[in-house]
Amino acid sequence: LVFLSIFLPAALIGCRLLPSVRMQNTLLLVMSLVFYAYGEPVYVLLMVASAAGNYLWARLITRFRSAGKGILALAVIQNLAVLCVFKYAGFLAETWNAVTGLHVPVPVISLPIGISFFTFQAMSYVFDVYREDTAAQRNFFRLLLYISFFPQLIAGPIVKYHDIDRELAEREMTSEGMAVGIRRFIAGLAKKVLIANTMGAVADALYAAPLAQINAPAAWLAAVSYMLQIYFDFSGYSDMAIGMGRMFGFHFKENFDYPYIADSMQDFWRRWHISLSTWFREYLYIPLGGNRKGKARTILNRLIVFACTGIWHGANLTFLFWGLYHGFFLLLEEVIPLFRRKGSPVLQALKHLCILLIVLVGFVFFRSDTIRQGFVMTGKLFTGWQFPADSMRLCLSQLTPLNLLAFALALPAATPCLKKLEGRAFWERLSWAATPVLLLLCMLFLAGGTYNPFIYFRF
């Protein structure tokens, strides 16, 4: 509520009043640092230090082209070291102890919010300078604004520097952009507050229950609720970031394209978290050789990419399993001709249902606290067809009118059926009229609800 009622309006009004882009950048940089410091007072220094390091590496690459590859390697080591220390140190120590039987002290380090996002964003800048896709930025504060810009700082999308390089120096805040941005922002806020939070409450209640109390209906309700929660949570934040960017004159690329209508795993990853999948393809898969070095190497490269994609999300074996699980089905898809060609409507529907099931089971492991919980919950989906009273009470207790309404809203909103109405006069009038109503509903829900952060804040 503080962000909606004070912080964002102050930033917008301040930028509208300032006469130059340079002064606007100064205001946005200060507010971005204040925004991050509000939740992470100490770690704002870490983010500034990370930006400074990458600024220097890029300048050195430009100055010493002959040693560019070595400088790039040092930049990558620096960024990965930051991630290893703050995100993976405890996980690595626990894994080492489990494998060796030793008792190395396990460090307890609080995770800086959004560290994976701002680190990967900074790394993409250095990569692009090395590949001469963009020129090294001479103004450190402009680069720091790119890395710390508050609309997409803590949960993406991962913005490439060359996509907004020009707008950092020259842009215009227009009334049309402001209106479109506000509508997009409120739509994303509604996704998060009205749907994702409601679905999250259902998933949290069911995943927190004793495994013995979970039967098939409860397992399916938990899995579907989380599948909807994570989509509306993350795509909602992406919509909010894109909308806020548009308000300030920036144009961020789309991060989601209705992934739950995919009819293959490859299609799913073209639609899900587009900025991350693009990042790994451009900066890891292709440098590893892509599919240019034979079938065996291609398989290895893809497994490496999806292992990294999984562990990027968190220091837990469940995330690693989720990444390799997706990599396995992508490889399997290549040897099953069914998924590589179009067919009858019935065949397409079956393919779509198959992909939805694969994705749903993957998210069961993604949400689980342990691998064991993931396997038990997955098993319950298919074998837990017993109906003891305590299991049914648990399941039915989650089917409240509010939760059922959220389900009813989520299912069509996860498909492009509403998008097809865009451009029609009646729909445009209806959507504009609905915007202030949605904002009011969101503020009422936020005022009366408990703290519920975005899922991707912890990544």
Side-chain angles (χ1 to χ4, degrees), residues 62-258:
T62 302
R63 178 68 178 83
F64 303 102
R65 279 290 172 188
S66 60
K69 185 174 291 187
I71 298 171
L72 177 65
L74 292 174
V76 171
I77 291 170
Q78 174 211 294
N79 285 286
L80 294 183
V82 170
L83 281 178
C84 284
V85 169
F86 289 94
K87 189 170 183 175
Y88 302 111
F91 172 71
L92 293 172
E94 290 175 354
T95 303
W96 175 260
N97 290 342
V99 171
T100 64
L102 299 176
H103 299 283
V104 175
V106 178
V108 179
I109 304 173
S110 61
L111 181 66
I113 294 175
I115 186 172
S116 294
F117 284 98
F118 71 71
T119 301
F120 269 42
Q121 193 153 300
M123 287 175 67
S124 72
Y125 163 70
V126 179
F127 276 119
D128 286 348
V129 170
Y130 171 76
R131 300 192 309 191
E132 300 186 66
D133 290 338
T134 190
Q137 175 58 253
R138 292 179 175 275
N139 185 326
F140 168 68
F141 296 104
R142 191 175 291 175
L143 179 68
L144 181 58
L145 173 60
Y146 156 70
I147 292 172
S148 67
F149 191 33
F150 70 85
Q152 44 75 230
L153 167 62
I154 51 182
I158 302 171
V159 178
K160 295 176 186 173
Y161 178 77
H162 62 256
D163 287 336
I164 63 167
D165 181 20
R166 184 186 63 79
E167 290 176 339
L168 285 168
E170 181 181 344
R171 64 182 180 277
E172 184 178 0
M173 293 177 65
T174 64
S175 299
E176 179 186 0
M178 184 76 69
V180 171
I182 289 173
R183 185 168 71 164
R184 183 69 178 268
F185 173 82
I186 293 173
L189 183 66
K191 279 185 176 183
K192 163 61 180 171
V193 174
L194 304 181
I195 299 179
N197 282 6
T198 306
M199 294 293 93
V202 176
D204 288 349
L206 293 169
Y207 272 94
L211 289 173
Q213 200 175 346
I214 300 294
N215 63 352
W220 277 100
L221 183 58
V224 173
S225 296
Y226 185 71
M227 190 175 178
L228 293 172
Q229 179 198 2
I230 193 170
Y231 170 68
F232 283 102
D233 188 285
F234 194 19
S235 70
Y237 186 90
S238 293
D239 287 342
M240 292 167 67
I242 291 168
M244 283 189 285
R246 190 69 186 273
M247 294 179 209
F248 292 105
F250 292 92
H251 294 75
F252 299 151
K253 291 185 176 180
E254 296 294 333
N255 205 25
F256 286 87
D257 185 20
Y258 301 102

Side-chain angles (χ1 to χ4, degrees), residues 212-339:
Q213 200 175 346
I214 300 294
N215 63 352
W220 277 100
L221 183 58
V224 173
S225 296
Y226 185 71
M227 190 175 178
L228 293 172
Q229 179 198 2
I230 193 170
Y231 170 68
F232 283 102
D233 188 285
F234 194 19
S235 70
Y237 186 90
S238 293
D239 287 342
M240 292 167 67
I242 291 168
M244 283 189 285
R246 190 69 186 273
M247 294 179 209
F248 292 105
F250 292 92
H251 294 75
F252 299 151
K253 291 185 176 180
E254 296 294 333
N255 205 25
F256 286 87
D257 185 20
Y258 301 102
Y260 293 158
I261 68 168
D263 60 2
S264 69
M265 291 303 294
Q266 189 175 37
D267 188 29
F268 174 80
W269 277 100
R270 280 196 294 261
R271 297 171 178 273
W272 177 269
H273 202 342
I274 298 168
S275 63
L276 181 67
S277 57
T278 301
W279 196 100
F280 274 114
R281 183 178 67 249
E282 292 188 8
Y283 302 121
L284 183 59
Y285 180 66
I286 292 175
L288 284 173
N291 59 0
R292 305 186 306 274
K293 297 188 176 182
K295 182 169 289 188
R297 182 63 179 273
T298 298
I299 291 173
L300 177 62
N301 290 344
R302 290 189 177 180
L303 290 177
I304 290 173
V305 167
F306 275 92
C308 292
T309 301
I311 208 69
W312 177 89
H313 288 85
N316 195 314
L317 289 176
T318 55
F319 296 120
L320 178 60
F321 179 91
W322 176 79
L324 292 173
Y325 170 91
H326 274 266
F328 168 78
F329 278 102
L330 275 164
L331 292 173
L332 184 64
E333 202 169 73
E334 293 193 356
V335 300
I336 300 178
L338 172 67
F339 288 97

